[in-house]
Amino acid sequence: DAGVTQSPTHLIKTRGQHVTLRCSPISGHKSVSWYQQVLGQGPQFIFQYYEKEERGRGNFPDRFSARQFPNYSSELNVNALLLGDSALYLCASSFLDSRGEQYFGPGTRLTVT
Amino acid sequence: GIQVEQSPPDLILQEGANSTLRCNFSDSVNNLQWFHQNPWGQLINLFYIPSGTKQNGRLSATTVATERYSLLYISSSQTTDSGVYFCAVAGNQFYFGTGTSLTVIP
């Protein structure tokens, strides 16, 4: 079975632009979560969706938004990009919510110049 | 939120040595996982272990939920074990520790 997939793998954007990152969960998984990992730190929780409803939101500004589609795939949108948004963005899927075992995708590396 | 502390932050081992990584957390949790992050950023699942003890080859883990800590044991380390090891716990969301960077030298 395919694991969690994310696209694109790498992305370079300019300050002020908008970006959309995509994630497809493992088949049968109903929960998708997004994380931001900056160099030298552990991943930080951004959003969790379960059964297409937002179940949790981390301490990120309103420039960050997400949604989950009927097929359980998800998008993370970031508006008005800042240099500090440069990071590895990770998506995880799980059959349950945060209580279930989380499986991570390979990530999207975003560079903002 | 739940605080997750990992120790040691850095560890250098000779190939064949054993090691113990520790994860302390500040509140009761519904889920605890250990991950290995490879140089390309992929988080690889090692253990899903909210409580108890599990073993997988040269790796084993123990979580004592009542005392709010978990241990990851690596025996007979190999160079391919190098990388960053993360502990993550779930309360209302998933919280990661700051990781242990392991380097195994031949």
Side-chain angles (χ1 to χ4, degrees):
Chain A
D1 284 341
V4 179
T5 60
Q6 292 186 243
S7 63
T9 54
H10 294 85
L11 202 53
I12 300 175
K13 290 286 190 177
T14 304
R15 274 180 301 175
Q17 287 188 317
H18 163 270
V19 69
T20 298
L21 310 181
R22 295 177 175 83
C23 172
S24 292
I26 292 171
S27 177
H29 284 191
K30 302 178 180 180
S31 172
V32 171
S33 301
W34 288 94
Y35 299 81
Q36 180 196 66
Q37 186 178 22
V38 300
L39 198 61
Q41 297 183 18
Q44 298 293 313
F45 173 78
I46 309 176
F47 285 107
Q48 183 189 48
Y49 279 79
Y50 178 69
E51 284 279 24
K52 292 154 281 184
E53 292 187 359
E54 184 182 301
R55 283 294 189 91
R57 174 185 287 253
N59 189 23
F60 280 81
D62 291 343
R63 300 184 295 108
F64 288 77
S65 64
R67 54 180 175 168
Q68 187 176 32
F69 298 100
N71 66 354
Y72 300 108
S73 67
S74 177
E75 283 183 353
L76 175 70
N77 294 283
V78 187
N79 293 324
L81 285 166
L82 303 174
L83 296 179
D85 295 330
S86 296
L88 178 67
Y89 288 84
L90 295 163
C91 170
S93 81
S94 172
F95 182 71
L96 294 175
D97 51 22
S98 58
R99 295 166 294 170
E101 185 169 5
Q102 308 291 312
Y103 296 86
F104 282 80
T108 294
R109 196 166 296 277
L110 172 66
T111 302
V112 182
T113 62
Chain B
I2 300 175
Q3 306 301 312
V4 183
E5 296 180 354
Q6 291 186 243
S7 60
D10 298 282
L11 188 58
I12 300 175
L13 296 175
Q14 200 78 37
E15 198 170 25
N18 303 328
S19 61
T20 301
L21 282 57
R22 187 177 179 101
C23 170
N24 293 332
F25 45 97
S26 62
D27 204 346
S28 58
V29 298
N30 300 313
N31 174 7
L32 188 147
Q33 289 183 245
W34 284 96
F35 298 93
H36 177 209
Q37 190 166 42
N38 66 22
W40 298 271
Q42 175 78 55
L43 283 167
I44 299 163
N45 289 33
L46 298 177
F47 293 102
Y48 170 74
I49 188 165
S51 64
T53 297
K54 291 186 177 180
Q55 181 159 6
N56 184 5
R58 296 181 296 104
L59 303 182
S60 63
T62 295
T63 297
V64 184
T66 53
E67 297 186 22
R68 299 180 184 168
Y69 74 89
S70 183
L71 302 173
L72 176 70
Y73 305 96
I74 304 174
S75 64
S76 303
S77 58
Q78 302 174 358
T79 56
T80 51
D81 295 332
S82 296
V84 182
Y85 289 79
F86 286 105
C87 165
V89 303
N92 59 341
Q93 59 176 260
F94 215 44
Y95 300 90
F96 278 79
T98 50
T100 292
S101 179
L102 173 64
T103 302
V104 181
I105 53 179

